[in-house]
Amino acid sequence: MNRRVRRKGGQFRDKEKSISQSYVEICDGSSNSERKGEVDWTTLPDDTVIQLFSCLNYRDRSSLSSTCKTWRVLGSAPCLWSSLDLRAHKCDSATATSLASRCANLQKLRFRGTESANAIMNLQARGLREISGDFCREITDATLSVMAARHESLESLQLGPEFCERITSDAIKLVALCCPKLKRLRLSGIRDIDGEAINALAKHCGQLEEIGFMDCVNIDEVALGNVVSVRFLSVAGTRNMKWSSALQLWNTLPNLIGIDVSRTDISSTAVLRLLTTSQSLKVVCALNCPVLEEESNHTVYNLKGKLLLALFNDIFKGVASLFADITMKERNVFSDWSSLKNGDKTLNDTMTWLEWILSHSLLRIAETNPQGLDSFWLRQGAALLLSLMRSSQVDVQERAATGLATFVVIDDENATVDCGRAEAVMQDGGIRLLLDLAKSCREGLQSEAAKAIANLSVNAKVAKAVAEEGGINILADLARSMNRLVAEEAAGGLWNLSVGEEHKGAIAEAGGIKALVDLIFKWPYGGDGVLERAAGALANLAADDKCSMEVAVAGGVHALVMLARTCKFEGVQEQAARALANLAAHGDSNSNNAAVGQEAGALEALVQLTCSHHEGVRQEAAGALWNLSFDDRNREAIAAAGGVEALVALAQNCSNASQGLQERAAGALWGLSVSETNSIAIGREGGVAPLIALARSDAEDVHETAAGALWNLAFNPGNALRIVEEGGVPALVHLCSSSVSKMARFMAALALAYMFDGRMDEVALIGSSSEGISKSVSLDGARRMALKHIEAFVLTFSDPQSFAAAAASSAPAALAQVAEAARIQEAGHLRCSGAEIGRFVAMLRNSSSILKACAAFALLQFTIPGGRHATHHASLLQKTGAARVLRAAAAAATAPIEAKIFAKIVLRNLEHHNVDALI
């Protein structure tokens, strides 16, 4: 950049303190800069630049600071570094050291994880007043002790809501000794907090007004009675409380205003005692206390201005009752309070605390999802979370958004969302609110809002509302974020929205496809969350023909193959394989099938994934190979990559697997077996027996794929004999006669026809085993059984009256009526090779009248006008000289009427395809 920013004051370079003075003016809203006309960024005064910097995240602020020397100085202004949120960033010792020069005046710090906790001491922020940490499960006493010792001015320390399992009372004692100015202490999930630790707080922290010991196992409740400075106390979720001892001393605490006993075993008697005997107490919060709820008569507790908040009470009404002199709508009590210039410090402190503990308790309740709370969530829970999302406290907003994302999900395993809860959020204006928060400049809030939008969008009605409110564009923008957590949740939202066919085009138009592909390249090792969501969304989008082409143009094939090859997370592998399967499913309309096969390492990776320990990965990988096998080059390349062996092994081991895996395993073998070389290899590898086992499945879809594979295998005489020897005839006969699927019955009949058209006889004389003679003897019975059921199958499509009319006149209308009755719609999708068509033509000359009828019936299906490959089959019939054979079959006096009529219809079909040379 060669232009300099014009500065407001020439003295700025020498006196950086003027930055702080300007910032004070900004915060007070007293900046009197007047602008006339358009503003050129090169003329912006320093205080305006600083204000703009304050609206940016740290990454963008650093990027702008690097553009010129003046902005670098401005970007280092102490007023911009009074608070720091490191949760979305990897913060190790080196990063913290590099930030140290800017953190001399740092007041507030938020971090995430143990590495950041250990690193923040390198910030050299000795004047820190507030520290808040998430994901603190691994933080030890040593880390917390050093943190306290380095920050003697600390006024607020919060670790949670995740459990701090490795922190003990020893660290709490050190916090008390090192931080005498402490006013607020919130810790979650500590196992034991003994009397020594609490007494140390009482002794050394004379200003300690708020204590939160949530979800602890044991707390010395007697010692808590010694912290006379405490105004707000929370022991929510804490077990093993001795309420009689606690109440005896807590009732005497002179400053206690509010107490939170949510999710404990407190009784109605104990609650009543708290409300009646404490002189200072104003509010008791007891959400989701089973004993209280069972014992209570569900009346409203509000004794002499003392309030109980419980699930069976109207919480909005209760909180509104604190404002005796103010008329307000009860449902707007939190937002109205925020907008009021209320001079009552006690009331303001109470409301601030209430917002925090309600957001915390509602999230915890949503996480455990206890039974019997549907009415609460619908009546007031959803509205409470939405109200708290308007709080001026950032952590309350975030936790409320997380609560919304959590409470609607009633089954994490299957991503099941409660429709009533989701629609309650929508009806209360929650979608617009969440989308507005998602546009916030605060990345933590963006992330949690996007997560809530994503979960709610599992519901189709909510998804429609999100789309109508412009949510797709917002999520696509967030997916481009440099913050991995934000991008991850945005990708999750696009994943859920992309389930709806009506949203796929809108996602593409918003640039969502490019954003999702870029995510994979941006964070190839960023963890399973962002990659699984991005791949899952691309998988849904790839199911649409037009979107699939955009995925390919955006580099999606390369990105997804990269994941399939290198990523070790099973969820990512599953979605990447599913996406590749969907990309390859449009072989007739675009070139993605071939493009996936030609991508280096794609087929090898998918073959390898069929050996995964995770069933979903195996299923999607097999599905991808099935779709890819429709391309001739892919088919041979899959075999060369070990696909035959891998898929036979998969089929052998999936007898107890899901229907989806069974269908795809058989389908992939079906696709590979189109090649006779592969078909022979499948037989030699032992693929016949597992396919016969799958043919006995109760699932219709598995019937079809297993029957299709056995049909292809039976084309080879050696495989045909293997099918007989492995007991395949009874299985195919059962399919032919009993399957609900017409396609499965059709392909089973064709497989039986291949097996007993005479070509297997030579192989049977030798046999595929040392028992050749006994096996050959058994063929007669198998042949009779097969022919009987082939005939029965063909006759199901033969109406005697229609056939008689067609035989008598051969009128087009009569033939058309027979053809329509005989049509198997799905058979039009089958594609036969020249050798297969030739075999059916040869079968028309077979001495068996049943096989003649079956061959004519098959050729009818393959040539019906409108079939996907009908013209191709008509061309193959021309090359085999089939017209003459068909006419002979139609005119043969000894041929069955079915063969004659079906042959006439095939001739008519050929005429339709304008194959004049055949007629």
Side-chain angles (χ1 to χ4, degrees):
M1 182 169 117
N2 54 19
R3 289 185 293 178
R4 299 291 297 271
V5 176
R6 290 180 59 190
R7 292 166 295 155
K8 183 177 181 180
Q11 77 281 10
F12 172 75
R13 183 175 295 178
D14 299 323
K15 298 181 180 180
E16 289 191 5
K17 66 180 181 179
S18 64
I19 297 174
S20 298
Q21 294 169 351
S22 296
Y23 183 70
V24 170
E25 293 176 359
I26 292 166
C27 294
D28 291 341
S30 57
S31 175
N32 54 13
S33 300
E34 295 182 1
R35 304 171 179 80
K36 296 182 179 180
E38 293 186 1
V39 176
D40 184 348
W41 67 269
T42 61
T43 66
L44 292 176
D46 297 337
D47 56 356
T48 302
V49 174
I50 292 174
Q51 186 173 18
L52 292 173
F53 270 50
S54 69
C55 296
L56 300 175
N57 60 50
Y58 305 108
R59 186 183 295 101
D60 293 342
R61 194 182 298 171
S62 298
S63 297
L64 280 180
S65 296
S66 67
T67 57
C68 67
K69 184 176 180 181
T70 301
W71 278 21
R72 183 164 60 252
V73 174
L74 290 170
S76 301
C79 59
L80 292 174
W81 296 89
S82 62
S83 64
L84 187 60
D85 187 347
L86 295 172
R87 290 176 298 165
H89 312 282
K90 177 179 173 59
C91 182
D92 53 18
S93 297
T95 303
T97 300
S98 69
L99 291 171
S101 62
R102 302 182 181 189
C103 294
N105 297 315
L106 190 64
Q107 301 290 303
K108 300 178 182 180
L109 175 67
R110 301 187 75 177
F111 70 90
R112 174 167 286 170
T114 307
E115 185 177 25
S116 293
N118 290 322
I120 61 176
M121 272 64 82
N122 295 295
L123 292 173
Q124 302 298 317
R126 306 288 297 197
L128 261 178
R129 294 183 180 180
E130 296 184 20
I131 294 178
S132 176
D134 299 341
F135 291 90
C136 301
R137 196 176 294 273
E138 298 300 319
I139 289 181
T140 63
D141 278 0
T143 299
L144 181 56
S145 298
V146 173
M147 192 184 297
R150 294 286 183 91
H151 305 106
E152 300 91 341
S153 299
L154 204 61
E155 296 178 4
S156 175
L157 175 62
Q158 177 176 316
L159 301 179
E162 295 77 22
F163 291 179
C164 306
E165 297 174 335
R166 302 182 65 182
I167 292 177
T168 70
S169 293
D170 292 338
I172 296 174
K173 282 187 284 186
L174 195 61
V175 168
L177 290 169
C178 295
C179 305
K181 297 180 180 179
L182 197 65
K183 295 180 180 179
R184 177 190 298 130
L185 179 63
R186 297 168 178 164
L187 302 174
S188 294
I190 296 177
R191 182 172 183 80
D192 297 297
I193 303 179
D194 62 25
E196 288 186 20
I198 296 172
N199 286 330
L201 291 170
K203 179 178 179 181
H204 299 288
C205 301
Q207 302 177 57
L208 187 59
E209 296 183 347
E210 182 183 337
I211 296 176
F213 292 149
M214 288 78 68
D215 297 291
C216 299
V217 179
N218 293 295
I219 297 176
D220 190 319
E221 55 279 318
V222 173
L224 277 175
N226 297 328
V227 189
V228 294
S229 60
V230 70
R231 302 173 71 208
F232 302 102
L233 173 64
S234 176
V235 292
T238 296
R239 290 168 281 170
N240 304 318
M241 292 291 296
K242 300 179 181 65
W243 293 109
S244 57
S245 301
L247 297 179
Q248 186 175 353
L249 293 167
W250 295 0
N251 286 339
T252 63
L253 287 169
N255 300 301
L256 187 63
I257 297 172
I259 184 167
D260 178 21
V261 293
S262 299
R263 299 177 294 111
T264 66
D265 61 354
I266 194 168
S267 66
S268 58
T269 302
V271 168
L272 187 60
R273 184 176 173 188
L274 270 173
L275 291 169
T276 55
T277 59
S278 173
Q279 297 300 311
S280 58
L281 188 65
K282 298 294 184 184
V283 182
V284 175
C285 187
L287 304 182
N288 194 33
C289 296
V291 176
L292 171 65
E293 289 158 11
E294 288 175 8
E295 295 176 347
S296 173
N297 59 7
H298 290 205
T299 57
V300 177
Y301 283 81
N302 194 332
L303 306 175
K304 297 180 181 178
K306 297 184 178 181
L307 175 66
L308 170 67
L309 300 181
L311 296 184
F312 51 79
N313 287 343
D314 187 326
I315 294 174
F316 284 109
K317 185 175 181 180
V319 174
S321 70
L322 297 174
F323 297 82
D325 299 328
I326 300 172
T327 301
M328 61 175 66
K329 291 183 179 179
E330 293 169 354
R331 288 285 172 130
N332 298 335
V333 59
F334 290 102
S335 57
D336 287 350
W337 162 71
S338 297
S339 63
L340 289 173
K341 301 298 183 181
N342 194 307
D344 188 337
K345 181 180 184 303
T346 298
L347 182 58
N348 289 336
D349 290 346
T350 302
M351 289 295 292
T352 300
W353 176 75
L354 273 176
E355 283 191 337
W356 192 90
I357 60 105
L358 283 171
S359 66
H360 184 279
S361 288
L362 289 172
L363 174 58
R364 277 284 187 243
I365 294 168
E367 287 171 340
T368 56
N369 192 28
Q371 297 295 316
L373 293 190
D374 284 346
S375 175
F376 165 75
W377 288 121
L378 296 177
R379 190 178 69 254
Q380 58 178 327
L384 274 169
L385 289 169
L386 290 172
S387 183
L388 293 170
M389 281 171 53
R390 297 181 174 90
S391 170
S392 60
Q393 299 181 73
V394 177
D395 54 346
V396 169
Q397 283 186 302
E398 291 181 12
R399 193 166 287 114
T402 308
L404 277 178
T406 305
F407 97 104
V408 295
V409 180
I410 55 176
D411 182 357
D412 280 326
E413 192 74 23
N414 299 305
T416 304
V417 166
D418 184 279
C419 293
R421 297 180 187 182
E423 290 170 21
V425 174
M426 180 174 65
Q427 291 162 6
D428 281 342
I431 303 305
R432 184 70 264 162
L433 176 59
L434 284 166
L435 291 174
D436 288 342
L437 292 179
K439 293 187 291 185
S440 162
C441 63
R442 296 193 297 267
E443 292 179 330
L445 194 51
Q446 289 176 353
S447 174
E448 298 308 321
K451 180 191 296 182
I453 293 166
N455 286 359
L456 287 162
S457 295
V458 172
N459 178 275
K461 290 182 180 179
V462 176
K464 181 180 178 182
V466 169
E468 290 174 347
E469 293 277 1
I472 288 176
N473 284 295
I474 293 172
L475 290 172
D477 286 340
L478 292 180
R480 301 183 186 97
S481 172
M482 294 300 294
N483 183 317
R484 183 178 62 80
L485 298 177
V486 173
E488 178 178 322
E489 299 301 345
L494 293 174
W495 186 6
N496 288 341
L497 283 166
S498 63
V499 172
E501 295 297 324
E502 66 275 23
H503 304 313
K504 289 182 169 67
I507 292 172
E509 290 175 11
I513 289 177
K514 182 67 165 59
L516 290 164
V517 171
D518 288 347
L519 280 182
I520 297 174
F521 291 123
K522 193 184 297 183
W523 285 294
Y525 309 106
D528 59 333
V530 65
L531 297 176
E532 181 178 11
R533 288 165 172 77
L538 289 172
N540 287 347
L541 292 164
D544 177 82
D545 186 20
K546 183 178 178 181
C547 289
S548 74
M549 290 188 283
E550 294 201 31
V551 171
V553 169
V557 173
H558 180 64
L560 292 164
V561 169
M562 178 184 72
L563 290 183
R565 291 179 61 191
T566 62
C567 189
K568 303 304 179 186
F569 294 107
E570 291 169 341
V572 179
Q573 292 173 342
E574 180 178 359
Q575 296 307 322
R578 186 169 73 91
L580 292 171
N582 287 344
L583 281 172
H586 307 282
D588 291 340
S589 56
N590 63 50
S591 59
N592 287 347
N593 190 303
V596 173
Q598 291 165 12
E599 183 71 28
L603 301 179
E604 292 82 358
L606 289 167
V607 167
Q608 187 62 37
L609 290 180
T610 63
C611 304
S612 169
H613 295 295
H614 187 274
E615 182 172 314
V617 177
R618 297 197 301 274
Q619 174 175 311
E620 299 302 342
L625 292 172
W626 181 11
N627 287 347
L628 289 164
S629 67
F630 285 99
D631 181 90
D632 295 340
R633 289 169 297 178
N634 288 344
R635 190 182 305 124
E636 303 311 318
I638 291 168
V644 169
E645 297 82 356
L647 289 167
V648 167
L650 182 62
Q652 289 170 336
N653 294 308
C654 72
S655 57
N656 295 320
S658 67
Q659 174 186 329
L661 177 55
Q662 291 179 342
E663 178 193 6
R664 288 164 177 76
L669 288 172
W670 182 10
L672 286 184
S673 63
V674 169
S675 159
E676 188 168 10
T677 300
N678 290 345
S679 176
I680 293 170
I682 290 169
R684 288 176 177 169
E685 285 294 322
V688 169
L691 286 168
I692 290 171
L694 292 174
R696 296 190 176 101
S697 166
D698 294 330
E700 178 181 336
D701 291 338
V702 181
H703 288 175
E704 290 186 3
T705 54
L710 289 170
W711 171 36
N712 283 349
L713 291 177
F715 187 83
N716 175 266
N719 282 338
L721 185 58
R722 287 189 179 94
I723 293 172
V724 175
E725 290 178 338
E726 295 290 349
V729 173
L732 288 168
V733 161
H734 179 72
L735 277 187
C736 184
S737 60
S738 304
S739 177
V740 176
S741 167
K742 286 184 180 180
M743 271 292 287
R745 294 170 61 201
F746 176 52
M747 290 185 292
L750 298 188
L752 291 170
Y754 278 166
M755 292 164 62
F756 296 106
D757 68 352
R759 303 193 184 200
M760 184 175 61
D761 294 348
E762 286 187 26
V763 178
L765 290 174
I766 302 171
S768 64
S769 68
S770 59
E771 302 175 7
I773 296 176
S774 62
K775 295 287 183 183
S776 64
V777 170
S778 67
L779 286 181
D780 291 336
R783 182 181 289 108
R784 287 193 297 272
M785 181 192 305
L787 293 177
K788 175 183 176 182
H789 285 85
I790 292 172
E791 180 180 30
F793 169 73
V794 174
L795 288 175
T796 60
F797 297 89
S798 308
D799 175 61
Q801 292 181 346
S802 299
F803 271 71
S809 68
S810 295
L815 291 176
Q817 185 177 358
V818 173
E820 188 59 34
R823 183 173 187 173
I824 300 174
Q825 190 71 37
E826 298 85 353
H829 299 305
L830 296 175
R831 180 184 175 94
C832 298
S833 65
E836 290 174 296
I837 291 295
R839 188 151 178 182
F840 285 115
V841 172
M843 213 179 287
L844 291 171
R845 301 190 186 99
N846 196 286
S847 59
S848 169
S849 60
I850 295 173
L851 291 178
K852 286 180 181 178
C854 182
F857 180 77
L859 292 172
L860 180 155
Q861 304 301 326
F862 301 146
T863 59
I864 286 179
R868 184 183 297 176
H869 305 295
T871 302
H872 164 73
H873 294 147
S875 176
L876 294 177
L877 283 168
Q878 178 186 20
K879 294 176 182 179
T880 60
R884 185 173 60 257
V885 181
L886 285 163
R887 285 196 297 269
T894 57
I897 190 172
E898 291 81 18
K900 292 180 181 183
I901 301 302
F902 291 149
K904 288 180 181 181
I905 295 172
V906 175
L907 288 167
R908 186 203 64 164
N909 291 345
L910 296 180
E911 188 175 34
H912 173 87
H913 292 293
N914 296 317
V915 189
D916 297 331
L918 297 179
I919 309 303

